[in-house]
Amino acid sequence: MIIQPKIRGFICTTSHPDGCEANVREQVAYVKSKGEISDGPKRVLVLGSSTGYGLSSRIVPAFGCGASTIGVFFEKEGTDRKPGTAGWYNAVAFEKVANEQGLYAKSFNGDAFGHEMKKTVIDTIKEDLGQVDMVIYSLASPRRNDPDTGEAYRSVLKPIGHSYTNKNLNTDKAEIEEITIEAASEEEIDQTVKVMGGEDWKLWIDAMADAGVLADGFETVAYSYIGPELTWAIYTEGTIGGAKLHLEETAKAMNARFGDGTAVVSVNKALVTQASSAIPVVPLYISLLYKVMKEKGTHEGTIEQIQRLFADHLCAENGPTLDDKGRIRVDDWEMTEDVQAAVAEVWPRVTSENLMDVSDFGGYQKEFLKLFGFGVDGVDYAADTEAERPMPSA
Ligand code: NAD
């Protein structure tokens, strides 16, 4: 079929398998261009491995360290009548390229929050790899069902304690508008922690430890975000920030059980992903940030961020460099004073009329389409393509 983008709000409902494969190959080529990362993990489990930070977190250990990888995600497979999700095609492409280069790769599509997926993955590790050296937790989801009670929890992106009004970019209409978000209820605050906090991360690590599939000295990493003061009310000090605090507390509890340096939270840069495009205010901040960082030559995508995370921190001879709260900061270049001052200077004067001049919204739009495999150089979008792409390891 011929596949074209169909954008609905902050989601694109179609995706292009060949574009997704080209994206994966581009990330692999970047990692290879940086050379081998010494002392890297050799057996890695990545939870949320199909898109965004998780996809790059699978590509870096595989192609930078020669690691065998298992990936878990929640995606839709394409059929001969309907394209699948980008994450499905990314995972298929990942396995294809890994196989071409003689690397072990298996992928599991389903609910990572459930007991069943944990059991399937643990059984596979036992059978194929024995143990893993690293577990990367990169799930981003709007909902989670408690695996014991079946109760459904939903995460919300709301401020805590007071309503919040700020500029917002309507990415559909390319217009700046004002947005007011009401404060979250106690129930919403708790539910967001249930979905995006560390509870499920801990369930994975506990289940794997009990099953004996974690190697001595294993490491586990989860991702967080801080960002500038202008988004704190909606992010860091909002419901999602509460969940991220819980993630950090979970890391501390894991270190108490398994030893210091086992679990770490890495604070990453704001980037266009399927998860971040759903957060109010953040797409405008990203559009301004991209312009400033591209001009300074410090702009990075997920692959550059995660390559740096592995090379400079996780696999560094003296271990990771941590901030005063025990976190890795690969958001360091985003948070430099000059970058933040430049964004803060433009923020009050950005309008619908000057959006394209003072921000990199053009770059944002390109990146957004690229997430779904569109607008990728070398891909013929007028050509017929096969939407049904089976997982090589299935
Ligand atoms: P993303 O939407 O690109 O990826 C989410 C992944 O989770 C996908 O692989 C998806 O299939 C998987 N997933 C969702 N629900 C699942 C389920 N029930 N079972 C199995 N898999 C499931 O998101 P992202 O932006 O890469 O976010 C990953 C992490 O990075 C999050 O913790 C996020 O807060 C953090 N982070 C993101 C940014 C950013 O700007 N995007 C910045 C810093 C930190």
Side-chain angles (χ1 to χ4, degrees):
M1 73 182 71
I2 291 167
I3 308 173
Q4 297 291 342
K6 275 196 197 129
I7 297 174
R8 302 266 178 280
F10 51 76
I11 191 88
C12 179
T13 60
T14 52
S15 48
H16 202 285
D18 303 318
C20 290
E21 180 171 334
N23 285 339
V24 168
R25 286 189 185 278
E26 188 183 295
Q27 291 200 25
V28 170
Y30 173 79
V31 172
K32 294 225 152 216
S33 78
K34 301 299 280 185
E36 198 187 316
I37 301 170
S38 47
D39 289 331
K42 294 292 177 227
R43 299 162 299 178
V44 179
L45 169 64
V46 185
L47 302 162
S49 65
S50 55
T51 54
Y53 274 112
L55 173 64
S56 297
S57 303
R58 193 176 186 188
I59 292 175
V60 171
F63 299 95
C65 316
S68 300
T69 60
I70 294 178
V72 178
F73 43 79
F74 210 175
E75 301 293 347
K76 270 215 180 76
E77 191 171 347
T79 66
D80 57 357
R81 293 177 32 222
K82 202 168 178 264
T85 52
W88 176 266
Y89 294 133
N90 289 337
V92 170
F94 174 89
E95 282 202 4
K96 187 174 164 190
V97 186
N99 292 343
E100 282 167 11
Q101 308 203 11
L103 291 168
Y104 169 99
K106 268 194 187 166
S107 309
F108 295 96
N109 188 25
D111 184 12
F113 297 132
H115 289 312
E116 209 184 306
M117 179 60 84
K118 293 181 175 75
K119 186 179 178 317
T120 306
V121 169
I122 287 170
D123 288 347
T124 305
I125 295 172
K126 274 188 186 161
E127 221 164 275
D128 294 357
L129 306 173
Q131 292 183 317
V132 292
D133 318 305
M134 189 179 277
V135 180
I136 294 170
Y137 193 85
S138 187
L139 296 180
S141 173
R143 68 189 74 83
R144 170 174 171 236
N145 288 347
D146 185 287
D148 293 319
T149 63
E151 197 173 334
Y153 297 103
R154 295 197 146 270
S155 68
V156 296
L157 294 155
K158 290 189 177 180
I160 293 178
H162 53 84
S163 68
Y164 166 68
T165 300
N166 209 331
K167 279 183 167 176
N168 184 52
L169 170 56
N170 181 324
T171 51
D172 243 2
K173 297 185 183 155
E175 281 174 9
I176 303 289
E177 53 192 28
E178 200 173 78
I179 190 171
T180 296
I181 308 159
E182 294 308 322
S185 65
E186 284 302 320
E187 172 75 14
E188 288 174 320
I189 297 171
D190 293 346
Q191 292 216 11
T192 305
V193 172
K194 270 279 188 187
V195 179
M196 288 297 287
E199 193 173 275
D200 180 63
W201 184 22
K202 183 173 182 304
L203 286 177
W204 270 98
I205 297 301
D206 285 348
M208 293 176 76
D210 292 347
V213 295
L214 293 170
D216 278 350
F218 79 95
E219 281 177 278
T220 184
V221 189
Y223 298 140
S224 185
Y225 180 65
I226 296 177
E229 225 168 311
L230 61 95
T231 63
W232 282 1
I234 184 71
Y235 199 99
T236 306
E237 293 172 351
T239 48
I240 182 75
K244 294 297 184 189
L245 216 57
H246 188 264
L247 205 65
E248 288 178 31
E249 281 156 14
T250 306
K252 281 187 199 135
M254 287 183 195
N255 285 334
R257 176 172 175 192
F258 299 104
D260 273 348
T262 304
V264 67
V265 168
S266 172
V267 183
N268 300 348
K269 178 194 180 196
L271 282 176
V272 184
T273 66
Q274 292 188 41
S276 70
S277 51
I279 307 175
V281 185
V282 167
L284 178 57
Y285 169 69
I286 289 180
S287 301
L288 297 178
L289 180 75
Y290 273 27
K291 183 162 175 83
V292 172
M293 292 188 81
K294 282 179 183 175
E295 280 170 7
K296 289 188 185 294
T298 56
H299 175 71
E300 295 175 302
T302 56
I303 198 66
E304 289 87 356
Q305 278 269 291
I306 301 301
Q307 203 280 336
R308 200 151 64 85
L309 171 67
F310 273 74
D312 294 1
H313 295 280
L314 300 176
C315 307
E317 213 180 314
N318 300 319
T321 306
L322 304 175
D323 71 5
D324 57 355
K325 295 204 167 95
R327 304 168 297 204
I328 295 173
R329 302 296 300 267
V330 283
D331 67 339
D332 47 356
W333 298 354
E334 167 183 357
M335 297 311 290
T336 57
E337 244 170 69
D338 56 339
V339 167
Q340 287 305 319
V343 173
E345 187 276 315
V346 187
W347 189 268
R349 55 185 181 87
V350 58
T351 61
S352 302
E353 290 68 39
N354 67 16
L355 178 66
M356 287 301 185
D357 300 325
V358 302
S359 86
D360 185 33
F361 183 53
Y364 181 99
Q365 286 173 307
K366 269 197 198 138
E367 278 291 301
F368 180 78
L369 279 175
K370 207 175 160 197
L371 293 179
F372 303 91
F374 294 109
V376 181
D377 286 345
V379 176
D380 180 1
Y381 292 97
D384 222 358
T385 191
E386 190 60 66
E388 199 175 349
R389 303 276 174 123
M391 195 63 66
S393 69

